Amino acid sequence: MLKRIFPLTVLLWITLLATHATAAPITDPMVDDATIYSFDGSSSIGLNASAFDDPFNTRSGGFWFKAVDTGPRQMLYEEGGRINGLNIWLDRGQVNIGAWANRAGHWLSQPTTPDQWHHVAYVFDEGQLTLFYDRAPVQSVETGFSTIPRHTGANALGGVNGWTLIGNTAADQLGTSSFYTGLLAGVSYDSAALLLSDIDDMATRTIPNPVPPAALLLGSGLAGLVLLQRRRHL
């Protein structure tokens, strides 16, 4: 059961978190007054460890992505290491999210498409992990652990920085690799377990223009009206 802990007040942009921006920011001509980040498949952006290392029992986050190819394994976001952590990645035409504690975790997936903007988000709520895709909840699982303990591994956007997990076997431990080719925009983070309306708000406030596929406009009434109004003014 998702619940709201406190209002959405924390929005951390990549430019505030980056400790080494080897992927250069660009302005996509499709984006209206928004800076997005381009990844060329050979580098990642390291994130400030102090923002992500502490233990938590509620956490939400999300971003827009536009991948050149969704077939190869590509890490979009990862925090922590082989013992505790959380991540989002692409592989074999799917976007995946994982959360683990003490080397045991759960992973969720959703089919996705290349060369289109999509919004992916997650909510971890005292053990309940939920994956949101294009502003709709698509997968959810009870992990069996209510807290993700302190995790001191390196954190990154656009690739594995140090170590991460994509499953519960030794073969699922990934070192520095899986670099992303494509665009990321509107990276958002909140220490609360957000509601569906909050995920809507997160996506709407950070949406790259033009508006993504029309199916998004059917996701929720109010958000759909907002997007339609924005589209009329393009």
Side-chain angles (χ1 to χ4, degrees):
M1 179 77 177
L2 300 181
K3 60 179 182 291
R4 185 72 179 255
I5 304 299
F6 52 80
L8 179 60
T9 56
V10 182
L11 178 64
L12 299 181
W13 295 92
I14 299 175
T15 49
L16 298 180
L17 297 173
T19 55
H20 61 277
T22 53
I26 65 168
T27 299
D28 186 331
M30 294 174 60
V31 177
D32 182 18
D33 295 328
T35 299
I36 65 175
Y37 279 74
S38 175
F39 295 84
D40 64 4
S42 65
S43 60
S44 64
I45 296 178
L47 302 179
N48 185 343
S50 63
F52 297 97
D53 286 356
D54 290 339
F56 61 85
N57 58 13
T58 59
R59 169 76 66 80
S60 306
F63 48 80
W64 291 93
F65 69 94
K66 184 181 180 182
V68 172
D69 187 355
T70 59
R73 181 182 297 154
Q74 301 165 84
M75 192 61 57
L76 302 178
Y77 165 81
E78 62 97 0
E79 62 174 271
R82 286 176 285 191
I83 300 176
N84 308 304
L86 189 148
N87 58 20
I88 303 173
W89 79 99
L90 299 172
D91 195 7
R92 301 178 185 180
Q94 300 202 83
V95 59
N96 310 272
I97 181 171
W100 59 98
N102 299 314
R103 299 183 184 270
H106 287 269
W107 285 264
L108 303 173
S109 61
Q110 165 69 22
T112 190
T113 55
D115 201 33
Q116 291 180 306
W117 282 109
H118 293 287
H119 191 265
V120 62
Y122 68 88
V123 172
F124 183 84
D125 185 10
E126 298 181 351
Q128 190 74 30
L129 177 66
T130 303
L131 167 63
F132 294 81
Y133 179 76
D134 285 344
R135 303 185 303 132
V138 292
Q139 295 279 337
S140 190
V141 66
E142 174 55 52
T143 63
F145 47 88
S146 60
T147 299
I148 295 182
R150 180 170 176 78
H151 37 292
T152 56
N155 315 300
L157 291 169
V160 180
N161 185 6
W163 290 94
T164 196
L165 296 185
I166 59 170
N168 286 317
T169 71
D172 294 322
Q173 301 179 30
L174 301 182
T176 299
S177 63
S178 302
F179 296 113
Y180 172 55
T181 302
L183 306 175
L184 287 181
V187 178
S188 306
Y189 159 92
D190 199 293
S191 58
L194 299 183
L195 299 171
L196 175 58
S197 58
D198 303 320
I199 300 297
D200 259 346
D201 180 63
M202 174 194 293
T204 300
R205 287 184 297 105
T206 61
I207 191 169
N209 286 322
V211 174
L216 286 184
L217 302 179
L218 305 177
S220 70
L222 180 58
L225 290 174
V226 171
L227 295 180
L228 284 170
Q229 288 172 352
R230 289 191 60 178
R231 195 171 196 179
R232 292 193 189 102
H233 287 86
L234 290 179

